[in-house]
Amino acid sequence: MSNSPNDPQAGQGRPLPKKEADLFKSVVKHYECKQYKKVIKSADTILKRFPNHGETLCMKGLTLNSMSKREEAHALVKQGLMKDMRSHVCWHVFGLLHRSDRNYNEAIKAYKQALRIDPENLQILRDLSLLQIQMRDIKGFVVTRNTILTLKPNQKINWLAFALAKHLNGDLRGAVSVIDIYLGTLNEGSLELEKGFESSELAMYRNKILAEIPDNLDEALNHLDACKNVIVDMGAWLMSKATFQLKLGKYEEALETFVAMFQRGLTEDYRVHTGYMCALLKLNADDCADALKLRGTNTVATLRPLTDDERKTLIDAYTGDLLESHPRSRAVRRIPLSILVGDKLQDAVASYCRKGLTKGVPSLGSDLSAMFLVEKDGRYVLADDPADIRAHSNFSMLVGLVDGYISSLLSHSKFSDADGEEEESPSTVLWAWYLRAFLHELAGEYMDGIALADKCIEHTPTAVDVYELKARLLQAAGDKGAAADCLDKGRELDKQDRYINNQTTKYMLQADRDSVARERIALFTRHEGNPEQNLYDMQCTWYELELAACMARKGQWGRSLKKYMAIDKHFEDFHEDQFDFHSYCIRKVTLRAYSDVLRFEDNLWGQQYYCQAAEGIIRNYVFLYDNPSAVGVEEEPDYSEMTAAQRKKAKAIARKKKKSAEKKAAEAAEKRKVEEEKMNDQNGSKKKKAGGSSPSVVDEDPDGEELLKRDPLEEAKKYSATLSKHAPNRISTWMGQYDVAIRRKKVLMALQALFKAKAIDKESNELFTRIVDFVQKVESEKEANPIIKEVLASETTTLLEGKSLSDFVSEAASRAKSDALTDLPKRIAVAKGLIATNVGTVKEASSLIIDGGLEGRKVSVDTCRDALRCLTFLGSDAEDAKTEWVAKVKEKFPLMTNFS
């Protein structure tokens, strides 16, 4: 073939001949239709005659990338780009290649380069705008969408995308103006001005923007009335209207709107009830704002203490008009339980309990536990510690009622011996026992609860819910193995129940039976391949969290990190998943939901599951930094100071240790391999019968060995930085930040973490421990930089509230002794602080734990073990205290295993 300069080659201002040009169009068409083999065939035909045609080389590379031939694809695209750097097609393809690799910044650069060559290419502009919103380059997104709108003003999607860009950029008036201009371009009688989903969503989106403009609720409210005739989602329309009326202080109008929502069937929506209460009580703007943020079954009555007048107003409404209008509403009957007090409350609870017990409602106890509210700083919080629950008046009242029911049901099968009382079915006493056992669980009376659960099982051996309750009680009492066995027995009763199977898996992992847990969870995965790979594909985060914690307890740090990292990968996928919605949501005009999703995605890394995984990674790496021998990394002995005989002996010992470690690792790997093969054989039987099997993903590093080779502090630093940015309201975030910073010798960063944590919870036991640790390290390690030294001296005094470290610890000890309900972890932390600072004796430190430690808050099997470790740490002087503690704990938790 001739390669003379006269041959037409793109990039030199010469187009392909017609035949090859048509063939190139077919290349693009086949690629869009995902007919990749035809693309390759057509591209090769062009390249036979024009081997240096850059655009064809790039298109062939892009196709190979779609066929999972990544390296070959990159080489071809780069080659094509080098052959024709003045082609917008080549740069566009280069950007698409980077986009497929999730290298968005490089893709944006390539798109911008393509636009320099062809600034009005709509496809490139659209692709660029998608990447800009994905990367939250909002200013660039505004410019790009404005350009697209200028080029194609006759398309609705371009107007809506530009309005969205203005909205996200904070130009709220500009966004409203864009929507108004678009609506002004429509002809009278147009379908888009009639009542319909798209016109309704656009009107509600415009209203949402109006409401976000400061001090603009009047206009937003008026707009709701103006657009009512096109609205389809009347529930959202009414909720917005009522909310605006509340915030504007138009209580009577808001009350009418909320009543209208009840009449539309929203009687079970507690947000509507909350708004109704706010309007009825005419609460101030701050209380209304706090109330409207409530979720679940919480209302104004569970937000703050009510005055007598407020209580009377609400009771009159809920026992009068609302009950008459909606007698079948569960919420209308349930809400008075959080309003009434005294004998009226007892009567209402009695009636509610009887109905629940007669129907056999397992969740009755969880429902009623919402009554255990305690006041804190003028707001109600739910009591969740056994010590607080036992002291609550509502708990005593409920216990009295249930005990009375049990006694009466056992004697004459009725709730009471009053005349006209109907006889109950035999199952009623079962659920009364169940409820009483649940109350024992809340109060920390685990053995009594287990005894009642056994009665329930003896009465009805097929009640699956009872097995779950008993398992919870056994676990809380200290026997995780028996808890897992109990729940597994309940699972056998209903093998089609995914929930009980998942709970069994969870309990098996908490009992460190990971192989059994794997068998249980495999029952509900696909019937082919590795079940753990299936769970990974399903992004089953709860399982991976539990398995990672199980592996950490077993000292298998690599596998633990592997599972935690899998969750990190899931969240990266969640973040990437939004890419598909950028054009779809605008096209479908679901703009309200789309803008909410974007804001949710911005806070994605602050979600609870991600935080738990990141904190697990930090804990593991910090442990590995402190204990390098945990992964077999031991310091090489100094042979230079040894004699020849000693050196020979030391090397022999080292070789023996290494050989032993390798043998153990090989045995563990072989055991896992056999288990996996067995599991795959069991789960793959159906696939084999079908006549084939799909290729499974091969994990090159199942034990996470590569993760163990990374720098522990660098990895921990990366995750602590992510949490500091996205989860600043979690105290555990700053505890992790401190642990990493202090090991990196970043004292100012560690100090900042302590202040952040103190602002969240100054009574935290973990914070107390780290404050003592920080001050001691700062005092022992002299800072060379005079400016840092001065800052540390000043801020450490502030951290200690103007006291010396010894006074700070002494006062904490005094407060712990004076308050009988001081939680056990805080007592442990202060006891350690007394010894670390030489402020108190071993006897004083141990008595802080022994005396009243089991009567305070946060007493559990795990905290009792922590206390035992603390007493062991105190040495031989605390031996008597340790013996006494073991006896007391075994009396409270007789089922506790491995505690001595």
Side-chain angles (χ1 to χ4, degrees):
M1 182 189 300
S2 172
N3 289 322
S4 68
N6 294 324
D7 284 342
Q9 296 287 324
Q12 299 177 8
R14 300 180 182 88
L16 286 168
K18 186 177 186 307
K19 180 182 176 182
E20 282 74 17
D22 291 341
L23 205 53
F24 184 78
K25 289 178 183 177
S26 72
V27 166
V28 177
K29 183 179 178 181
H30 289 320
Y31 175 78
E32 290 172 350
C33 295
K34 298 185 179 180
Q35 297 174 338
Y36 300 134
K37 289 184 179 179
K38 291 184 179 180
V39 175
I40 299 297
K41 184 178 179 181
S42 300
D44 286 341
T45 303
I46 298 172
L47 293 173
K48 279 180 183 177
R49 186 172 176 191
F50 304 107
N52 295 328
H53 186 243
E55 294 178 357
T56 305
L57 287 167
C58 286
M59 284 304 300
K60 182 179 178 181
L62 188 61
T63 305
L64 289 173
N65 186 63
S66 301
M67 297 169 72
S68 302
K69 298 179 180 179
R70 184 177 176 276
E71 292 183 5
E72 193 177 343
H74 273 268
L76 266 179
V77 172
K78 287 178 181 176
Q79 182 186 348
L81 186 60
M82 291 301 293
K83 298 293 183 184
D84 193 357
M85 298 193 73
R86 287 181 288 172
S87 168
H88 70 274
V89 173
C90 293
W91 283 106
H92 189 193
V93 169
F94 192 50
L96 291 172
L97 200 64
H98 279 303
R99 192 182 85 172
S100 71
D101 291 340
R102 297 183 178 180
N103 191 355
Y104 294 142
N105 287 323
E106 290 301 316
I108 288 173
K109 291 178 185 176
Y111 288 156
K112 287 182 176 178
Q113 186 64 34
L115 288 171
R116 288 192 184 99
I117 300 165
D118 186 2
E120 296 187 356
N121 188 302
L122 283 170
Q123 186 56 53
I124 300 174
L125 285 166
R126 289 192 195 100
D127 287 346
L128 175 61
S129 71
L130 294 179
L131 288 183
Q132 286 171 327
I133 188 62
Q134 177 76 9
M135 299 301 291
R136 298 300 188 271
D137 177 13
I138 304 300
K139 291 182 179 178
F141 182 57
V142 172
V143 172
T144 304
R145 291 313 312 190
N146 187 26
T147 305
I148 294 173
L149 179 60
T150 305
L151 294 171
K152 277 281 187 182
N154 59 339
Q155 290 187 353
K156 177 181 179 179
I157 190 172
N158 294 339
W159 288 95
L160 300 186
F162 187 46
L164 177 76
K166 289 271 191 181
H167 178 204
L168 296 177
N169 197 39
D171 184 4
L172 303 178
R173 281 293 176 193
V176 172
S177 176
V178 171
I179 294 173
D180 290 342
I181 293 170
Y182 164 70
L183 293 173
T185 64
L186 301 176
N187 297 323
E188 190 173 344
S190 170
L191 285 175
E192 295 183 37
L193 296 176
E194 300 291 330
K195 186 173 184 177
F197 175 78
E198 290 191 4
S199 53
S200 171
E201 281 296 306
L202 184 56
M204 290 301 294
Y205 178 62
R206 182 183 187 276
N207 186 261
K208 180 179 181 177
I209 299 172
L210 286 172
E212 290 178 12
I213 299 173
D215 304 320
N216 196 51
L217 290 180
D218 277 314
E219 185 181 351
L221 184 58
N222 293 334
H223 173 257
L224 282 176
D225 291 328
C227 69
K228 183 178 180 180
N229 61 325
V230 300
I231 298 299
V232 173
D233 187 358
M234 285 303 296
W237 184 87
L238 285 168
M239 192 67 193
S240 297
K241 183 177 182 180
T243 303
F244 298 158
Q245 289 168 337
L246 263 185
K247 291 180 178 179
L248 290 169
K250 299 180 179 181
Y251 299 112
E252 297 300 327
E253 295 176 18
L255 201 60
E256 291 176 9
T257 307
F258 283 118
V259 170
M261 295 174 75
F262 288 141
Q263 291 170 350
R264 285 184 60 86
L266 296 173
T267 54
E268 305 308 311
D269 190 335
Y270 279 80
R271 291 180 307 156
V272 180
H273 284 283
T274 298
Y276 175 79
M277 291 180 183
C278 289
L280 198 61
L281 300 177
K282 299 181 179 179
L283 298 184
N284 59 51
D286 291 339
D287 282 347
C288 282
D290 290 342
L292 292 172
K293 294 176 185 175
L294 296 173
R295 292 291 178 266
T297 58
N298 290 311
T299 62
V300 172
T302 62
L303 175 66
R304 65 168 178 79
L306 300 172
T307 65
D308 291 339
D309 290 340
E310 289 174 338
R311 204 178 297 278
K312 184 177 184 305
T313 301
L314 291 177
I315 289 300
D316 290 344
Y318 275 90
T319 57
D321 295 340
L322 276 181
L323 188 59
E324 290 174 10
S325 304
H326 312 284
R328 297 176 64 85
S329 169
R330 186 175 176 279
V332 170
R333 288 183 282 109
R334 164 70 180 75
I335 286 172
L337 299 184
S338 56
I339 305 171
L340 292 166
V341 292
D343 293 338
K344 290 183 178 179
L345 172 62
Q346 184 166 337
D347 293 341
V349 171
S351 174
Y352 193 79
C353 269
R354 290 183 181 193
K355 289 180 180 177
L357 294 173
T358 301
K359 291 180 178 179
V361 180
S363 61
L364 180 62
S366 300
D367 190 8
L368 293 172
S369 66
M371 297 192 306
F372 306 147
L373 298 169
V374 292
E375 187 179 349
K376 184 178 180 181
D377 300 327
R379 288 284 190 266
Y380 276 140
V381 294
L382 189 64
D384 58 358
D385 191 275
D388 294 324
I389 290 172
R390 287 194 299 266
H392 204 286
S393 59
N394 286 349
F395 176 77
S396 304
M397 177 266 292
L398 190 56
V399 166
L401 279 175
V402 178
D403 285 343
Y405 292 154
I406 292 172
S407 176
S408 184
L409 286 166
L410 289 173
S411 59
H412 43 267
S413 300
K414 295 180 181 180
F415 284 117
S416 69
D417 51 5
D419 294 337
E421 185 86 15
E422 291 184 9
E423 191 170 308
E424 297 294 326
S425 68
S427 65
T428 305
V429 72
L430 164 72
W431 295 111
W433 279 333
Y434 182 90
L435 176 58
R436 187 65 183 94
F438 179 83
L439 294 174
H440 278 307
E441 180 190 10
L442 291 181
E445 300 159 352
Y446 305 121
M447 298 310 298
D448 294 334
I450 291 169
L452 274 178
D454 286 335
K455 278 189 178 183
C456 293
I457 292 172
E458 184 181 349
H459 183 281
T460 309
T462 56
V464 178
D465 293 289
V466 179
Y467 288 91
E468 185 189 5
L469 174 61
K470 184 181 177 182
R472 288 205 310 268
L473 288 161
L474 285 167
Q475 188 178 63
D479 195 342
K480 292 183 178 180
D485 291 336
C486 176
L487 200 51
D488 197 34
K489 198 177 292 184
R491 182 195 64 82
E492 291 285 347
L493 298 173
D494 187 359
K495 294 183 178 180
Q496 303 302 312
D497 189 331
R498 183 191 292 268
Y499 168 75
I500 203 72
N501 188 77
N502 288 352
Q503 285 294 95
T504 304
T505 302
K506 182 178 177 181
Y507 274 54
M508 289 293 179
L509 289 172
Q510 290 172 352
D512 295 339
R513 301 180 189 173
D514 51 300
S515 58
V516 181
R518 194 164 177 265
E519 291 175 9
R520 297 293 178 268
I521 197 69
L523 296 172
F524 282 86
T525 61
R526 288 201 305 266
H527 293 288
E528 69 273 359
N530 186 343
E532 285 204 11
Q533 183 60 43
N534 292 337
L535 290 164
Y536 175 82
D537 294 338
M538 291 190 290
Q539 299 173 329
C540 191
T541 309
W542 68 265
Y543 173 79
E544 289 166 333
L545 277 173
E546 290 292 346
L547 182 57
C550 173
M551 293 296 102
R553 288 192 296 271
K554 287 186 164 188
Q556 297 179 21
W557 303 105
R559 295 188 69 195
S560 176
L561 286 169
K562 187 89 174 173
K563 290 302 171 186
Y564 281 134
M565 294 288 189
I567 297 167
D568 181 35
K569 179 65 169 61
H570 294 334
F571 275 81
E572 287 181 12
D573 291 340
F574 297 158
H575 188 259
E576 297 302 326
D577 288 344
Q578 67 177 304
F579 199 95
D580 297 328
F581 293 92
H582 294 318
S583 57
Y584 174 84
C585 290
I586 299 173
R587 190 169 69 250
K588 294 295 183 181
V589 203
T590 55
L591 298 172
R592 285 184 300 155
Y594 177 56
S595 59
D596 290 340
V597 165
L598 291 180
R599 286 169 180 162
F600 167 79
E601 290 281 356
D602 289 340
N603 297 315
L604 183 66
W605 314 109
Q607 296 298 309
Q608 183 178 0
Y609 275 149
Y610 178 81
C611 291
Q612 289 176 352
E615 288 162 9
I617 292 170
I618 293 169
R619 278 196 307 273
N620 283 7
Y621 273 125
V622 166
F623 177 85
L624 293 174
Y625 176 80
D626 294 339
N627 304 274
S629 60
V631 289
V633 180
E634 296 188 12
E635 290 185 9
E636 187 79 11
D638 188 0
Y639 295 121
S640 61
E641 297 182 2
M642 297 182 184
T643 63
Q646 289 173 333
R647 191 160 48 247
K648 183 179 179 181
K649 185 178 180 180
K651 287 183 177 180
I653 291 171
R655 281 195 302 273
K656 190 175 180 181
K657 282 184 178 180
K658 184 179 179 182
K659 189 175 180 181
S660 175
E662 288 174 351
K663 184 179 178 182
K664 284 183 180 179
E667 287 175 353
E670 184 63 27
K671 183 181 177 182
R672 255 193 323 277
K673 185 179 178 182
V674 170
E675 288 178 356
E676 285 181 7
E677 287 176 355
K678 179 183 174 184
M679 190 69 65
N680 290 344
D681 288 342
Q682 291 173 351
N683 291 332
S685 58
K686 290 188 179 180
K687 189 72 177 180
K688 288 176 183 177
K689 288 177 183 178
S693 61
S694 57
S696 58
V697 178
V698 178
D699 189 349
E700 299 293 338
D701 184 26
D703 295 330
E705 296 294 335
E706 293 301 317
L707 297 175
L708 296 176
K709 293 176 183 177
R710 297 180 183 179
D711 185 331
L713 285 188
E714 282 301 312
E715 291 297 309
K717 178 185 119 180
K718 181 173 71 174
Y719 286 96
S720 67
T722 301
L723 291 181
S724 301
K725 181 179 178 181
H726 294 282
N729 295 324
R730 291 173 65 97
I731 193 168
S732 53
T733 293
W734 301 109
M735 296 298 92
Q737 176 82 310
Y738 172 83
D739 291 341
V740 175
I742 203 69
R743 286 164 175 79
R744 294 177 58 229
K745 309 296 182 186
K746 304 291 184 182
V747 287
L748 292 182
M749 189 179 287
L751 179 63
Q752 180 196 45
L754 294 177
F755 275 113
K756 293 280 189 181
K758 193 172 184 180
I760 297 170
D761 181 9
K762 65 179 182 180
E763 297 299 326
S764 165
N765 59 288
E766 292 189 9
L767 174 63
F768 179 86
T769 300
R770 285 166 176 81
I771 287 176
V772 173
D773 176 69
F774 177 78
V775 175
Q776 287 185 317
K777 284 180 177 173
V778 167
E779 289 176 352
S780 62
E781 298 177 12
K782 301 301 180 183
E783 177 60 50
N785 190 316
I787 298 175
I788 295 179
K789 188 175 181 180
E790 184 181 348
V791 171
L792 286 174
S794 171
E795 296 303 320
T796 301
T797 303
T798 306
L799 187 67
L800 295 173
E801 299 169 356
K803 310 180 187 78
S804 65
L805 179 59
S806 56
D807 290 342
F808 179 76
V809 174
S810 296
E811 289 190 15
S814 300
R815 287 196 302 272
K817 286 178 183 177
S818 61
D819 184 2
L821 291 178
T822 299
D823 59 73
L824 183 55
K826 186 62 178 285
R827 289 173 178 269
I828 296 168
V830 174
K832 288 179 179 178
L834 286 172
I835 300 303
T837 57
N838 296 318
V839 171
T841 63
V842 170
K843 184 178 180 181
E844 289 173 336
S846 56
S847 69
L848 194 62
I849 296 172
I850 298 293
D851 299 338
L854 292 176
E855 305 304 320
R857 298 187 179 97
K858 297 184 181 178
V859 176
S860 67
V861 169
D862 291 334
T863 55
C864 287
R865 291 190 193 280
D866 290 340
L868 182 62
R869 280 191 285 270
C870 177
L871 292 171
T872 304
F873 166 76
L874 296 180
S876 57
D877 291 344
E879 197 61 39
D880 292 340
K882 179 181 172 182
T883 305
E884 183 182 350
W885 179 251
V886 169
K888 284 185 174 182
V889 171
K890 285 191 173 179
E891 183 181 350
K892 185 175 180 66
F893 300 106
L895 300 180
M896 199 169 179
T897 56
N898 301 322
F899 186 79
S900 60

